[in-house]
């Protein structure tokens, strides 16, 4: 393989490889207000807000940019310039720091870009990631994803946007301080405390407290992705997890007593189908029937829970 430049000693890399970048100045950030003023009819405020969670374009990358490693599988896509064994490769939780780029000739004779990194181990090892694209192709593509990493600039952007905000959480899929999955509440007001990198599937862990809790407040978290074009990330974005307004306002006919049951993911006799679906979500299967005087529906969920409605009201369940 022919390279167009040689790796310099590690101490000189941050200084000499800066010339490999275009020197493009970062573009001014678009504000939520600007996007909201130009939003299309029918677009929710949450979707407009989430549209600002975009990773920095490749043309704006500079030496010193950092990435959180989500998996030891990163060894599959990195080459180590001076690591003697596979144990010298980055592992989950390590931080990769971009030092610069170089152009190399691949097997097809194409001049492609390689990214040069160091990690947080302090061993002085340099790693390269071959993008498989030319500089022109990367510029045209806009965004570049380094597999098995999370762009820490994007984490910072989301943290700055969310920290201190009071929102309503829409999912009961919570995690406690130990990272264990727990059954939380939903549709309650929470206060965002922090956002940290998480997993390769759900890259952002949003940490919060119950905004209405008194005394000592426990912290919980939910996992979130963002619309940055990363195909590895699950579709679990801000509008599906949080709301700016109290969801109860959309259902004024639901009593406060019944709403408390919904918040706690529980059902009770006499619930309407709307109330039950708010409490437990949509069933995986619905069977319908009728007799001379009544109509029946049997809802079945993947975890074995079933609900039976008679004339639109809940009459039987194995949930209570």
């Amino acid at each position: 393989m022919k390279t167009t430049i040689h790796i310099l000693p590690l101490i000189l890399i941050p200084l000499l490889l800066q010339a490999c970048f275009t020197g493009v100045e970062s573009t001014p950030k678009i504000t939520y207000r600007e996007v909201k003023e130009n939003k299309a009819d029918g677009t929710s405020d949450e979707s407009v807000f989430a549209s600002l969670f975009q990773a920095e374009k490749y043309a704006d990358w500079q030496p010193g940019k950092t990435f959180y490693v989500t998996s030891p599988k990163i060894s599959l896509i990195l080459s180590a310039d001076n690591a003697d064994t596979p144990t010298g490769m980055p592992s989950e939780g390590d931080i990769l720091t971009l030092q610069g780029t170089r152009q190399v000739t691949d097997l097809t004779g194409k001049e492609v870009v390689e990214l040069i990194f160091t990690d947080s181990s302090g061993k002085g090892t340099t790693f390269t990631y071959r993008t498989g694209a030319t500089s022109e192709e990367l510029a045209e593509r806009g965004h570049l994803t380094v597999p098995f990493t999370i762009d820490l600039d994007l984490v910072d952007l989301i943290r700055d946007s969310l920290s201190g905000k009071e929102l309503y959480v829409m999912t009961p899929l919570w995690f406690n301080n130990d990272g264990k999955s727990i059954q939380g509440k939903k549709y309650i007001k929470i206060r965002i405390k922090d956002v940290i990198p998480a997993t390769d599937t759900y890259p952002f862990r949003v940490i919060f407290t119950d905004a209405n809790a008194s005394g000592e407040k426990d912290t919980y978290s939910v996992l979130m992705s963002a619309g940055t074009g990363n195909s590895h990330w699950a579709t679990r974005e801000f509008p599906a997890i949080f709301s700016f307004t109290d969801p109860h306002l959309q259902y004024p006919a639901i009593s406060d007593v019944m709403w408390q049951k919904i918040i706690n993911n529980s059902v009770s006799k006499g619930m309407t189908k709307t109330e039950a679906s708010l409490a437990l979500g949509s069933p995986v299967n619905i069977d319908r029937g009728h007799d001379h005087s009544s109509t029946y529906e049997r809802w079945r969920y993947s975890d074995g829970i079933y609900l039976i409605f008679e004339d639109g009201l809940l009459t039987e369940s194995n949930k209570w």
Side-chain angles (χ1 to χ4, degrees):
M1 179 186 72
K2 174 186 175 184
T3 62
T4 59
I5 69 171
H6 297 285
I7 287 291
L8 299 173
L10 178 61
I11 191 171
L12 297 178
I13 287 177
L15 297 175
L16 298 184
L17 290 184
Q18 289 184 16
C20 298
F21 287 88
T22 63
V24 175
E25 295 292 335
S26 296
T27 54
K29 292 183 179 179
I30 300 174
T31 66
Y32 170 63
R33 177 175 303 205
E34 290 170 333
V35 175
K36 185 176 180 180
E37 288 174 350
N38 293 284
K39 76 172 185 176
D41 291 341
T43 304
S44 71
D45 288 344
E46 290 81 8
S47 295
V48 173
F49 183 70
S51 70
L52 301 177
F53 300 163
Q54 296 294 325
E56 187 179 39
K57 291 184 177 180
Y58 170 76
D60 296 325
W61 288 15
Q62 297 292 329
K65 186 176 180 64
T66 53
F67 299 82
Y68 176 89
V69 178
T70 60
S71 170
K73 291 181 181 178
I74 197 170
S75 62
L76 299 174
I77 58 102
L78 290 184
S79 296
D81 282 356
N82 54 338
D84 296 330
T85 66
T87 58
M89 300 300 287
S91 58
E92 182 178 350
D94 283 348
I95 306 297
L96 292 180
T97 301
L98 181 66
Q99 300 297 336
T101 67
R102 65 184 180 189
Q103 301 222 3
V104 300
T105 305
D106 68 10
L107 295 177
T108 68
K110 181 179 178 181
E111 292 289 319
V112 298
V113 174
E114 278 190 346
L115 307 180
I116 304 170
F117 295 98
T118 56
D119 72 353
S120 54
S121 67
K123 297 178 181 178
T125 305
T126 57
F127 305 93
T128 58
Y129 168 60
R130 184 169 297 187
T131 65
T134 66
S135 297
E136 293 76 15
E137 289 169 340
L138 290 177
E140 183 178 349
R141 187 186 303 173
H143 294 288
L144 174 64
T145 298
V146 179
F148 308 113
T149 71
I150 300 169
D151 184 341
L152 288 178
D153 285 335
L154 183 55
V155 176
D156 291 343
L157 170 64
I158 296 176
R159 178 189 299 116
D160 291 344
S161 300
L162 293 182
S163 290
K165 282 190 177 298
E166 291 191 349
L167 305 167
Y168 290 86
V169 64
M170 306 295 284
T171 174
L173 303 177
W174 294 9
F175 295 85
N176 62 17
N177 289 333
D178 297 326
K180 294 181 179 179
S181 177
I182 62 171
Q183 179 77 12
K185 299 179 180 181
K186 55 186 173 183
Y187 312 136
I188 67 166
K189 183 184 287 187
I190 54 91
R191 182 177 293 107
I192 306 296
K193 304 292 288 185
D194 199 3
V195 178
I196 61 175
T199 72
D200 198 44
T201 304
Y202 301 104
F204 312 106
R205 184 179 297 277
V206 182
I207 301 170
F208 61 88
T209 59
D210 184 340
N212 295 318
S214 58
E216 190 69 23
K217 296 181 180 179
D218 293 326
T219 60
Y220 305 94
S221 65
V222 294
L223 297 177
M224 186 179 81
S225 60
T228 60
N230 190 323
S231 60
H232 297 289
W233 293 352
T235 305
R236 185 179 169 81
E237 299 178 14
F238 179 84
I241 305 175
F242 298 109
S243 171
F244 290 136
T245 57
D246 186 350
H248 195 182
L249 299 176
Q250 301 178 42
Y251 304 94
I254 298 179
S255 68
D256 291 342
V257 171
M258 201 64 77
W259 191 254
Q260 284 301 311
K261 294 181 181 295
I262 292 170
I263 284 174
N264 289 283
N265 312 290
S266 63
V267 293
S268 64
K269 189 170 293 187
M271 264 190 169
T272 65
K273 289 186 285 187
T274 296
E275 291 166 344
S277 63
L278 285 170
L280 301 183
S282 300
V284 296
N285 181 267
I286 298 177
D287 295 323
R288 294 182 174 89
H290 62 86
D291 59 18
H292 295 294
S293 60
S294 301
T295 59
Y296 297 87
E297 281 190 8
R298 180 185 179 94
W299 290 9
R300 287 183 287 188
Y301 290 81
S302 58
D303 56 3
I305 293 174
Y306 70 83
L307 308 176
I308 297 178
F309 296 88
E310 183 177 343
D311 291 334
L313 298 179
L314 184 60
T315 58
E316 185 178 341
S317 174
N318 63 348
K319 173 69 173 175
W320 56 62

